[in-house]
Amino acid sequence: MRKLRYLYIALFLAIPFLLKAETLLSSFEGGLINGTVFVDEWEKSPFNLNKCVNTTVEVIDNPYINEMNETGKVLHYVRPYFAGDRNGVEIKLENTFQVTTTKQYLHVLVHKPTLSPLVMAAIDKSNNVLQVIELSRSEVRANAWSDAIFSIKGNGYEIDRIRIYPDCQTAVGRLSGDIDIYIDEIVLNDSDEPRTASSYCSVKG
């Protein structure tokens, strides 16, 4: 009986270590943070040559509330037809995070109408340099909320912004015009498993 009691105590003490630590980096519930802007890496982009007005980047009511994403607000980004392949949004995070030599995983909820590559770049706060560039390791579906996952590993720098290139592919011959893309709940944890509708409660805390 005494051994059983000690076993229960040991299991109770081990619970915090068994639970995956998770940090909410951005939720967009408080609106658009200053510094969240449209970016286009193509030097000859009409947006970089002031031939086109910068596209829409805004926080709006969630147009696709369901079991996968029940939040009230999301980041809305219009992917311009005339932008380069690597166009997207630079997001100023609500909470910064440290990149260490221990592998972590960045999760981003995305809703877009296309099946196309999704790339993330992390920016070092001190040096204003892109330190991590990763392709999503999880499947991102069309016309549904998906959990894009990016592996993060480095050598002790602080990240305060990330860039999401949600449709990292040429629009020519593929798209007929601009498309609407929605981004939400950005979290950091130690799991490479995608969030699902059944696990959503762990995201909300």
Side-chain angles (χ1 to χ4, degrees):
M1 190 68 180
R2 180 177 297 177
K3 290 182 179 179
L4 188 60
R5 185 173 67 227
Y6 289 155
L7 178 59
Y8 287 152
I9 293 173
L11 288 173
F12 177 79
L13 294 175
I15 286 175
F17 300 98
L18 295 175
L19 295 176
K20 292 181 173 67
E22 184 167 273
T23 301
L24 178 63
L25 301 178
S26 282
S27 68
F28 307 107
E29 294 303 305
L32 193 69
I33 292 183
N34 187 36
T36 298
V37 295
F38 166 71
V39 292
D40 190 343
E41 302 294 341
W42 181 29
E43 291 182 2
K44 296 182 180 181
S45 166
F47 296 93
N48 292 332
L49 298 176
N50 297 319
K51 294 181 179 180
C52 292
V53 178
N54 278 354
T55 189
T56 300
V57 177
E58 61 183 351
V59 171
I60 64 171
D61 291 339
N62 186 352
Y64 297 108
I65 294 178
N66 57 23
E67 295 84 357
M68 182 66 181
N69 186 4
E70 299 175 346
T71 64
K73 302 290 183 180
V74 298
L75 183 67
H76 173 222
Y77 162 65
V78 176
R79 186 262 196 258
Y81 178 85
F82 292 108
D85 299 357
R86 277 206 303 170
N87 77 90
V89 57
E90 182 172 300
I91 300 170
K92 182 67 180 294
L93 299 174
E94 297 168 18
N95 299 298
T96 63
F97 68 94
Q98 295 289 329
V99 173
T100 69
T101 54
T102 300
K103 186 178 291 186
Q104 302 174 88
Y105 296 95
L106 189 78
H107 297 247
V108 182
L109 286 180
V110 177
H111 192 294
K112 61 177 186 171
T114 57
L115 287 172
S116 56
L118 196 153
V119 174
M120 183 279 303
I123 303 175
D124 183 355
K125 180 179 180 180
S126 299
N127 302 313
N128 196 33
V129 173
L130 295 178
Q131 294 285 10
V132 178
I133 300 178
E134 287 286 331
L135 180 70
S136 175
R137 58 189 294 133
S138 60
E139 179 186 7
V140 177
R141 298 170 295 164
N143 298 310
W145 284 111
S146 299
D147 189 20
I149 304 173
F150 307 94
S151 175
I152 297 281
K153 188 177 181 181
N155 190 21
Y157 39 80
E158 184 178 11
I159 301 299
D160 69 335
R161 286 162 294 153
I162 64 170
R163 289 182 181 178
I164 299 295
Y165 308 103
D167 185 57
C168 200
Q169 192 172 350
T170 181
V172 178
R174 184 175 60 94
L175 303 180
S176 58
D178 300 348
I179 60 174
D180 295 292
I181 297 175
Y182 305 92
I183 298 171
D184 203 10
E185 297 220 322
I186 303 171
V187 302
L188 184 75
N189 61 31
D190 61 357
S191 172
D192 62 354
E193 292 294 323
R195 289 174 287 183
T196 63
S198 61
S199 65
Y200 183 77
C201 58
S202 64
V203 178
K204 294 175 65 178

